[in-house]
Amino acid sequence: MSQSPQRLKRLLIASLLANVFLVGGVVGGLYQWSQHPRPAPAVVQHGLRQAIAHLPQERRHQLRQMLRETRADNQSLIMASRDAHRDVVQRLKAPSLDRDALDADLDRARTADITLRTRVDATLADFAASLPVEQRQVLADAMTARRQGKAANTAKD
């Protein structure tokens, strides 16, 4: 089954044209993609994340490190909170509701959550104490920006 040289030449030219077309499409797509600005992130950061974003790089790193250490030091508390929340869900899914056990699980979850929040807040306070006045002001403004926006929206309603 030998093909004529003329037919092979046509197939080679068709293949070459198809490849040039594909490469051109890829290059054109990459060019278009690189020329358009990236869209803003869909998730609006608020609270501590927004505050961290407004700090200088070295301070951001310092706060993140402090929060990582707090998380590592309180891993047992985090696990206790997860376990308590899981127990609450299981109690709610049970065919019969044991109200006393549910209340006890909710209390365990609440206590763990409050204790963890208190420790994170203490870490944030320690960090804020190390900041100069200007950076504390930036931190405070970033942390309250969302609340002030909500208050303004509530006042309009």
Side-chain angles (χ1 to χ4, degrees), residues 23-37:
V23 168
V26 169
V27 169
L30 287 173
Y31 175 76
Q32 287 292 329
W33 178 73
S34 69
Q35 295 302 311
H36 292 290

Side-chain angles (χ1 to χ4, degrees), residues 52-69:
I52 289 173
H54 286 86
L55 292 172
Q57 181 66 30
E58 69 276 355
R59 292 297 188 169
R60 268 186 265 168
H61 178 70
Q62 180 186 7
L63 179 56
R64 285 187 184 125
Q65 185 62 36
M66 290 174 75
L67 291 172
R68 275 189 216 106
E69 290 170 4

Side-chain angles (χ1 to χ4, degrees), residues 64-129:
R64 285 187 184 125
Q65 185 62 36
M66 290 174 75
L67 291 172
R68 275 189 216 106
E69 290 170 4
T70 301
R71 180 183 173 109
D73 293 344
N74 293 289
Q75 200 61 37
S76 61
L77 191 58
I78 292 169
M79 293 307 295
S81 174
R82 287 182 187 160
D83 291 344
H85 285 281
R86 189 176 332 112
D87 291 344
V88 166
V89 170
Q90 288 175 350
R91 297 237 187 256
L92 291 172
K93 288 182 177 180
S96 63
L97 182 65
D98 181 353
R99 178 62 192 259
D100 292 334
L102 177 64
D103 287 341
D105 291 338
L106 286 168
D107 186 52
R108 279 186 17 239
R110 182 175 41 257
T111 301
D113 291 345
I114 290 170
T115 304
L116 183 60
R117 174 64 189 257
T118 301
R119 291 179 183 174
V120 169
D121 287 348
T123 299
L124 184 60
D126 290 342
F127 173 74

